[in-house]
Amino acid sequence: MVAIAAQPYAYPLPAASQIALVIIDMQRDFLEAAGFGESLGNDVSQLRAIVPTLQTLLAAFRERQLTVIHTRECHRADLADCPPAKRVRGNPRLRIGDRGPMGRILITGEPGNAIIPELAPLPEEWVLEKPGKGAFCRTDFETQLQQRQLTHLLLTGVTTEVCVQTTMREANDRGYECLLIEDATASYFPEFKQATLEMVRAQGGIVGWTATTADVLAAIARYPTATGVS
Ligand code: TIU
């Protein structure tokens, strides 16, 4: 069996066509000053540490022509998909839709809503726009996963206990085999990240697996590269 060395036990690898790297919300709005993350009172500089790790994973997936899914948390310009409760929650300095230095906060198409340049999607890659924390909420994510016959999701991105964990739980309930890559996810609260890692893999992997980037890279090296040479 080809598997990723993982916790709480080895994660069996499927056919290359069935696995996807899911990079959640690596947007300027969460990583740069004056975006949504900072408007909520967070120290956004903490999230940058995972960028080189994600670049390495992205390159390895692209080299093998494995599926990469990018997500963006965003809302329509008219805010029709933004529940009023979400807009007022926390009484932020700048609310969703307000104009900030990077354009309107968390609005699709605005400069601040873009994925950071270091992880920019290729034109042919799948970018899922989502109005909620979870990727399944009011999106076609499940339909698209089914159509593409994807069954195994390797989750990364920000923030671990909010959008990443919500998406992982939603995917687990729908029958997907989910693995959270430990050093490719970050939180504004390191202790919340650690708690998330422990809670998803507790009870025999009640929500899924966790593994390091090194172990993921070692395992996916079994998949052929586009040129046939790794
Ligand atoms: N605030 C926070 O930790 N996260 C979010 O609002 N969205 C995501 O996690 N992407």
Side-chain angles (χ1 to χ4, degrees):
M1 180 184 74
V2 181
I4 300 174
Q7 294 191 61
Y9 57 92
Y11 176 87
L13 277 185
S17 62
Q18 293 174 282
I19 195 163
L21 177 68
V22 187
I23 305 178
I24 296 183
D25 299 357
M26 289 298 290
Q27 301 164 229
R28 298 183 67 199
D29 256 319
F30 294 110
L31 281 97
E32 293 187 18
F36 183 59
E38 194 174 83
S39 82
L40 298 173
N42 296 302
D43 169 10
V44 295
S45 65
Q46 299 201 65
L47 305 188
R48 289 214 69 85
I50 61 170
V51 174
T53 312
L54 277 168
Q55 287 178 303
T56 305
L57 279 165
L58 194 51
F61 271 68
R62 285 174 175 165
E63 194 183 6
R64 292 173 175 79
Q65 297 185 317
L66 301 169
T67 301
V68 176
I69 306 167
H70 307 260
T71 73
R72 274 195 293 114
E73 182 176 347
C74 60
H75 293 281
R76 288 168 36 168
D78 63 5
L79 296 176
D81 59 356
C82 182
K86 179 175 182 181
R87 189 153 189 268
V88 299
R89 183 75 52 79
N91 196 21
R93 193 171 43 80
L94 284 174
R95 293 188 176 168
I96 296 167
D98 287 351
R99 198 161 293 283
M102 294 194 290
R104 294 179 66 199
I105 298 284
L106 223 56
I107 299 297
T108 192
E110 295 287 337
N113 198 243
I115 291 171
I116 59 169
E118 296 93 324
L119 301 171
L122 296 176
E124 66 273 20
E125 284 175 348
W126 178 5
V127 182
L128 181 83
E129 298 191 352
K130 61 181 185 60
K133 304 306 181 191
F136 292 87
C137 181
R138 301 196 298 283
T139 70
D140 66 355
F141 194 39
E142 188 167 18
T143 307
Q144 293 272 353
L145 290 173
Q146 286 170 353
Q147 282 179 357
R148 297 169 196 233
Q149 300 185 316
L150 293 162
T151 54
H152 288 59
L153 304 179
L154 305 190
L155 293 128
T156 66
V158 298
T159 64
T160 315
E161 79 283 8
V162 182
C163 291
V164 178
Q165 184 173 205
T166 303
T167 299
M168 186 167 181
R169 288 178 179 277
E170 290 180 332
N172 180 55
D173 275 349
R174 287 167 172 79
Y176 294 93
E177 304 283 14
C178 298
L179 181 144
L180 177 55
I181 306 182
E182 296 163 17
D183 47 348
T185 182
S187 169
Y188 299 122
F189 304 89
E191 66 276 24
F192 291 172
K193 169 181 167 173
Q194 189 56 34
T196 302
L197 295 177
E198 288 171 22
M199 71 176 80
V200 302
R201 66 191 178 214
Q203 306 182 63
I206 192 82
V207 182
W209 287 258
T210 76
T212 63
T213 294
D215 285 333
V216 170
L217 292 174
I220 68 162
R222 300 287 196 104
Y223 294 130
T225 59
T227 56
V229 188
S230 38

mmCIF file of all heavy atoms in Angstrom, residues 48 50 106 115 129-130 136 141 183 208:
data_model
loop_
_atom_site.group_PDB
_atom_site.id
_atom_site.type_symbol
_atom_site.label_atom_id
_atom_site.label_comp_id
_atom_site.label_asym_id
_atom_site.label_seq_id
_atom_site.Cartn_x
_atom_site.Cartn_y
_atom_site.Cartn_z
ATOM 1 N N ARG A 48 2.176 34.462 7.490
ATOM 2 C CA ARG A 48 3.099 34.405 6.349
ATOM 3 C C ARG A 48 4.060 33.215 6.402
ATOM 4 O O ARG A 48 4.598 32.800 5.375
ATOM 5 C CB ARG A 48 3.925 35.697 6.264
ATOM 6 C CG ARG A 48 3.126 36.895 5.836
ATOM 7 C CD ARG A 48 3.957 37.843 4.994
ATOM 8 N NE ARG A 48 4.276 37.298 3.692
ATOM 9 C CZ ARG A 48 3.477 37.374 2.635
ATOM 10 N NH1 ARG A 48 2.332 37.981 2.703
ATOM 11 N NH2 ARG A 48 3.850 36.836 1.486
ATOM 12 N N ILE A 50 3.768 30.160 6.498
ATOM 13 C CA ILE A 50 3.457 28.950 5.716
ATOM 14 C C ILE A 50 3.598 29.173 4.205
ATOM 15 O O ILE A 50 3.460 28.219 3.434
ATOM 16 C CB ILE A 50 2.041 28.403 6.011
ATOM 17 C CG1 ILE A 50 0.955 29.433 5.646
ATOM 18 C CG2 ILE A 50 1.940 27.959 7.470
ATOM 19 C CD1 ILE A 50 -0.465 28.853 5.693
ATOM 20 N N LEU A 106 -13.340 42.150 1.480
ATOM 21 C CA LEU A 106 -13.879 40.816 1.202
ATOM 22 C C LEU A 106 -14.874 40.771 0.026
ATOM 23 O O LEU A 106 -15.743 39.908 -0.029
ATOM 24 C CB LEU A 106 -14.530 40.225 2.478
ATOM 25 C CG LEU A 106 -14.238 38.749 2.780
ATOM 26 C CD1 LEU A 106 -12.751 38.480 2.872
ATOM 27 C CD2 LEU A 106 -14.928 38.296 4.054
ATOM 28 N N ILE A 115 -5.835 36.261 -4.192
ATOM 29 C CA ILE A 115 -4.864 35.337 -3.595
ATOM 30 C C ILE A 115 -3.491 35.993 -3.692
ATOM 31 O O ILE A 115 -3.195 36.679 -4.688
ATOM 32 C CB ILE A 115 -4.932 33.982 -4.318
ATOM 33 C CG1 ILE A 115 -6.289 33.312 -3.976
ATOM 34 C CG2 ILE A 115 -3.757 33.082 -3.944
ATOM 35 C CD1 ILE A 115 -6.622 32.090 -4.755
ATOM 36 N N GLU A 129 -15.012 30.312 -5.298
ATOM 37 C CA GLU A 129 -15.413 31.473 -4.498
ATOM 38 C C GLU A 129 -16.462 31.008 -3.503
ATOM 39 O O GLU A 129 -17.406 30.310 -3.877
ATOM 40 C CB GLU A 129 -16.001 32.559 -5.406
ATOM 41 C CG GLU A 129 -15.000 33.082 -6.427
ATOM 42 C CD GLU A 129 -15.492 34.335 -7.140
ATOM 43 O OE1 GLU A 129 -16.664 34.722 -6.962
ATOM 44 O OE2 GLU A 129 -14.698 34.925 -7.875
ATOM 45 N N LYS A 130 -16.291 31.383 -2.248
ATOM 46 C CA LYS A 130 -17.227 30.894 -1.222
ATOM 47 C C LYS A 130 -17.628 32.031 -0.290
ATOM 48 O O LYS A 130 -16.778 32.778 0.186
ATOM 49 C CB LYS A 130 -16.600 29.735 -0.445
ATOM 50 C CG LYS A 130 -15.335 30.086 0.309
ATOM 51 C CD LYS A 130 -14.789 28.852 1.011
ATOM 52 C CE LYS A 130 -13.592 29.144 1.881
ATOM 53 N NZ LYS A 130 -13.814 30.088 2.967
ATOM 54 N N PHE A 136 -18.398 24.287 1.307
ATOM 55 C CA PHE A 136 -19.611 23.672 0.753
ATOM 56 C C PHE A 136 -20.838 24.576 0.870
ATOM 57 O O PHE A 136 -21.860 24.314 0.261
ATOM 58 C CB PHE A 136 -19.898 22.346 1.468
ATOM 59 C CG PHE A 136 -18.883 21.273 1.171
ATOM 60 C CD1 PHE A 136 -17.720 21.174 1.926
ATOM 61 C CD2 PHE A 136 -19.071 20.364 0.140
ATOM 62 C CE1 PHE A 136 -16.768 20.196 1.667
ATOM 63 C CE2 PHE A 136 -18.124 19.381 -0.137
ATOM 64 C CZ PHE A 136 -16.970 19.297 0.629
ATOM 65 N N PHE A 141 -19.245 23.268 -4.814
ATOM 66 C CA PHE A 141 -18.040 22.479 -4.501
ATOM 67 C C PHE A 141 -18.313 20.970 -4.567
ATOM 68 O O PHE A 141 -17.580 20.219 -5.218
ATOM 69 C CB PHE A 141 -17.541 22.872 -3.108
ATOM 70 C CG PHE A 141 -16.147 22.396 -2.771
ATOM 71 C CD1 PHE A 141 -15.137 22.409 -3.711
ATOM 72 C CD2 PHE A 141 -15.839 21.965 -1.484
ATOM 73 C CE1 PHE A 141 -13.842 21.989 -3.388
ATOM 74 C CE2 PHE A 141 -14.555 21.543 -1.152
ATOM 75 C CZ PHE A 141 -13.562 21.551 -2.106
ATOM 76 N N ASP A 183 2.039 21.739 8.728
ATOM 77 C CA ASP A 183 2.869 22.936 8.603
ATOM 78 C C ASP A 183 2.502 23.769 7.380
ATOM 79 O O ASP A 183 3.235 24.687 7.003
ATOM 80 C CB ASP A 183 4.353 22.560 8.565
ATOM 81 C CG ASP A 183 4.648 21.419 7.608
ATOM 82 O OD1 ASP A 183 3.697 20.757 7.124
ATOM 83 O OD2 ASP A 183 5.826 21.178 7.318
ATOM 84 N N GLY A 208 -10.411 13.216 10.395
ATOM 85 C CA GLY A 208 -9.453 12.880 9.348
ATOM 86 C C GLY A 208 -8.059 12.698 9.905
ATOM 87 O O GLY A 208 -7.881 12.404 11.079
#
